[in-house]
């Protein structure tokens, strides 16, 4: 746990008592603050009370007496589409609003850091797609190279639930736009921006607000090194803004998977080969095509981002390549479950929108595509150019009729459930085919989360093997 500094003896509100909220309350108490907790859910309040925390009804004026700050969980809106009423009350009363990421950065460095050589470092990863894979890949490569490291934020442990810093340690944090937009303190040593695609637009008031939330990690954080994906216009703008006006421009490492960049410091992937260029010379090259946990161009971009950050941290090309090749992959993200009779089964349940599903479809050929669930805006219309890769689609959930209409002449069947879809796809599949769960939809019509949906897929695939 990271004890929160700067609030000793002060009353601090905590709004939202899920995983990050409870960790925040514990960290505040460990640092000598007095947390006053509230959640709209009775069950969440009861859980916090069972740990001995004060439950303060922040809807009432009396609960705000002596309060100096309100710490908000990331899922609670503070501006768009409308501020939560309790946050609006904090604004009215002049109480500072922050989140756990802001508390982490104001509390991470301690008085004994001057005795550490080297001092701990923080790498933060943001973007629309690939954050979790890049974060986990960085953490794995550092561990494989023998560097002390922790991973947290939007993946794994909450930022305040991490252990206090150790000498030479590297903390890798995945940060969503919800986390970067509100944090009052941001101070990464290395910040990574992967890409931007439409998502959470109602929460940010449109694409400009969404990009602005991501950009804060760089503009407010002032990282020593910025690793920026420049395949899209937002990344090109950000890279330009973070470059030095004079000098080498080395504070920025540009990454790409659609263009070659041979000036400045860059890492790009073309046709499955990663190349690092610096000062007009190629410094290293790696063939990514035979790394099973990193299939497709989107994962090659993730590999470029991890490579750039690891090089900035001082790892050698040989160390990084070894880590890339031993990376086991993340659950529910291009996760190869089994290969049976020449048919590969892949779990990409995390592909909950068309943009994420596009990355999965581009990584394979001869696809038996399992798709469907709760529809997202736009459905699968953006995926039409990839339908030629689909041998047949097996549709599930609420949006099966809409997906069927979009698929048109592409072979498809409405299976209704994942059980039926896996059975049908496995029966139809031939050697060389890939049975791919990439739903392009949320899970909430049939499952509490995409993780539960992916776990069910894994169980079904394993039962297929047991039945042979």
């Amino acid at each position: 746990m990271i004890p929160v500094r700067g609030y000793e003896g002060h009353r601090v509100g905590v709004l939202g008592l899920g995983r990050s909220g409870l960790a925040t309350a514990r960290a505040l108490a460990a640092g000598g603050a007095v947390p006053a907790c509230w959640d709209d859910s009775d069950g969440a309040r009861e859980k916090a009370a069972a740990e001995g925390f004060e439950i303060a009804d922040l809807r009432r004026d009396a609960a705000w007496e002596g309060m100096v700050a309100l710490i908000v969980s990331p899922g609670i809106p503070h501006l768009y589409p409308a501020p939560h009423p309790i946050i609006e009350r904090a604004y009215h009363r002049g109480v500072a609003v922050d989140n756990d990421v802001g508390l982490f950065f104001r509390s991470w460095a301690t008085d004994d850091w001057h005795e550490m050589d080297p001092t701990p470092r923080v790498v933060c990863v943001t973007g629309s797609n690939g954050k979790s894979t890049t974060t986990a890949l960085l953490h794995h490569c550092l561990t494989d190279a023998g560097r002390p490291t922790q991973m947290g934020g939007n993946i794994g442990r909450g930022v305040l639930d991490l252990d206090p810093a150790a000498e030479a340690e590297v903390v890798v944090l995945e940060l969503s736009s919800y986390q970067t937009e509100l944090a009052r303190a941001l101070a990464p040593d290395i910040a990574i921006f992967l890409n931007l695609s439409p998502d959470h637009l109602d929460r940010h008031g449109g694409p400009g607000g969404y990009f602005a939330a991501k950009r804060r990690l760089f503009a407010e954080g002032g990282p020593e090194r910025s690793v920026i994906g420049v395949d899209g216009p937002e990344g090109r703008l950000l890279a330009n803004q973070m470059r030095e006006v004079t000098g080498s421009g080395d504070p920025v490492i540009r990454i790409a998977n659609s263009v070659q960049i041979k000036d400045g410091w860059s890492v790009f992937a073309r046709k499955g080969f990663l190349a690092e260029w610096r000062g007009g010379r190629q410094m290293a090259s790696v063939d990514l095509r035979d790394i099973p946990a990193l299939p497709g161009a989107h994962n090659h971009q993730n590999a470029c981002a991890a490579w750039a950050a690891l090089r900035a941290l001082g790892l050698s090309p040989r160390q990084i390549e070894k880590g890339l090749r031993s990376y086991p992959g993340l659950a529910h993200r291009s996760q190869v479950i089994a290969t049976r009779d020449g048919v590969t089964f892949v779990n990409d349940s995390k592909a909950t929108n068309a943009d994420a599903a596009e990355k999965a479809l581009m990584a394979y050929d001869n696809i038996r595509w399992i798709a469907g669930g709760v529809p997202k805006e736009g459905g699968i219309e953006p995926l039409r150019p990839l339908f030629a890769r689909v041998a047949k689609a097996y549709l599930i959930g609420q949006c099966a009729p809409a997906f069927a209409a979009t698929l048109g002449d592409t072979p498809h069947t409405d299976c209704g459930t994942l059980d039926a879809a896996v059975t049908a796809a496995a029966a139809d599949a031939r050697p060389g085919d890939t049975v791919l769960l990439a739903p392009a939809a949320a899970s909430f019509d049939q499952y509490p989360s995409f993780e539960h949906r992916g776990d069910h897929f894994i169980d079904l695939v394993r039962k297929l093997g047991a039945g042979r």
Side-chain angles (χ1 to χ4, degrees), residues 63-132:
W64 292 83
E65 288 299 321
M67 191 172 294
V68 297
L70 177 69
I71 311 304
V72 178
S73 291
I76 301 173
H78 67 276
L79 183 58
Y80 301 115
H84 188 282
I86 288 175
I87 297 178
E88 191 69 78
R89 187 179 287 266
Y91 294 157
H92 178 73
R93 299 182 68 93
V95 173
V97 178
D98 202 350
N99 64 14
D100 60 339
V101 172
L103 296 184
F104 169 84
F105 278 112
R106 70 179 292 167
S107 306
W108 176 240
T110 53
D111 295 337
D112 61 347
W113 274 34
H114 69 280
E115 300 174 2
M116 297 184 185
D117 185 22
T119 55
R121 310 265 287 171
V122 179
V123 180
C124 294
V125 183
T126 196
S128 296
N129 296 300
K131 296 188 298 297
S132 295

Side-chain angles (χ1 to χ4, degrees), residues 321-403:
E321 182 176 358
K322 180 173 176 287
L324 295 181
R325 295 197 177 281
S326 62
Y327 174 61
L330 276 177
H332 315 300
R333 297 163 178 86
S334 298
Q335 180 187 13
V336 177
I337 305 304
T339 300
R340 296 196 177 95
D341 299 331
V343 177
T344 302
F345 294 81
V346 178
N347 168 28
D348 204 332
S349 184
K350 180 67 166 62
T352 58
N353 57 39
D355 189 69
E358 176 188 38
K359 308 299 189 298
L361 290 170
M362 290 178 66
Y364 305 99
D365 295 306
N366 304 319
I367 298 168
R368 304 283 172 176
W369 181 25
I370 300 175
V374 179
K376 294 286 187 75
E377 184 177 353
I380 58 171
E381 179 63 35
L383 303 178
R384 188 179 294 277
L386 298 175
F387 289 171
R389 293 175 174 265
V390 178
K392 188 174 181 179
Y394 304 81
L395 305 178
I396 64 175
Q398 288 181 7
C399 53
F403 281 16

Side-chain angles (χ1 to χ4, degrees), residues 116-409:
M116 297 184 185
D117 185 22
T119 55
R121 310 265 287 171
V122 179
V123 180
C124 294
V125 183
T126 196
S128 296
N129 296 300
K131 296 188 298 297
S132 295
T133 295
T134 302
T135 302
L137 183 58
L138 276 163
H139 181 253
H140 170 80
C141 289
L142 288 163
T143 300
D144 189 69
R147 293 284 294 270
T149 179
Q150 296 186 73
M151 176 176 71
N154 209 38
I155 183 175
R157 301 160 71 182
V159 291
L160 294 173
D161 200 34
L162 296 170
D163 297 327
E167 188 172 78
E169 185 173 55
V170 179
V171 169
V172 188
L173 301 179
E174 176 191 338
L175 298 182
S176 71
S177 57
Y178 290 7
Q179 293 169 306
T180 57
E181 69 174 345
L182 189 59
R184 296 172 70 88
L186 290 166
D189 296 288
I190 298 173
I192 300 173
F193 174 86
L194 294 168
N195 48 56
L196 199 79
S197 61
D199 207 359
H200 311 303
L201 298 188
D202 59 334
R203 170 67 181 261
H204 298 294
Y210 181 43
F211 177 51
K214 302 284 189 186
R215 184 179 174 276
R216 287 194 76 245
L217 183 62
F218 299 80
E220 304 291 334
E224 295 175 13
R225 188 83 62 190
S226 299
V227 176
I228 300 175
V230 295
D231 290 304
E234 296 87 0
R236 292 192 288 273
L237 169 65
L238 184 59
N240 185 274
Q241 291 178 331
M242 297 303 293
R243 289 178 69 87
E244 291 181 349
V245 175
T246 59
S248 66
D250 274 353
V252 175
I253 307 175
R254 290 174 293 166
I255 62 170
N257 63 1
S258 66
V259 294
Q260 294 180 332
I261 311 168
K262 297 182 179 180
D263 60 301
W265 191 352
S266 65
V267 182
F268 59 85
R270 293 282 288 170
K271 298 181 179 179
F273 287 86
L274 178 151
E276 177 189 356
W277 282 70
R278 200 186 312 186
R281 295 177 55 241
Q282 182 171 304
M283 309 299 292
S285 178
V286 176
D287 186 351
L288 301 173
R289 295 173 299 173
D290 60 346
I291 301 179
L294 296 170
H298 64 298
N299 276 312
H300 296 169
Q301 186 202 37
N302 299 334
C304 288
W307 182 285
L310 292 164
R311 292 287 278 149
L313 289 167
L315 271 67
S316 70
R318 182 174 298 180
Q319 287 176 303
I320 301 170
E321 182 176 358
K322 180 173 176 287
L324 295 181
R325 295 197 177 281
S326 62
Y327 174 61
L330 276 177
H332 315 300
R333 297 163 178 86
S334 298
Q335 180 187 13
V336 177
I337 305 304
T339 300
R340 296 196 177 95
D341 299 331
V343 177
T344 302
F345 294 81
V346 178
N347 168 28
D348 204 332
S349 184
K350 180 67 166 62
T352 58
N353 57 39
D355 189 69
E358 176 188 38
K359 308 299 189 298
L361 290 170
M362 290 178 66
Y364 305 99
D365 295 306
N366 304 319
I367 298 168
R368 304 283 172 176
W369 181 25
I370 300 175
V374 179
K376 294 286 187 75
E377 184 177 353
I380 58 171
E381 179 63 35
L383 303 178
R384 188 179 294 277
L386 298 175
F387 289 171
R389 293 175 174 265
V390 178
K392 188 174 181 179
Y394 304 81
L395 305 178
I396 64 175
Q398 288 181 7
C399 53
F403 281 16
T406 306
L407 285 163
D409 293 336

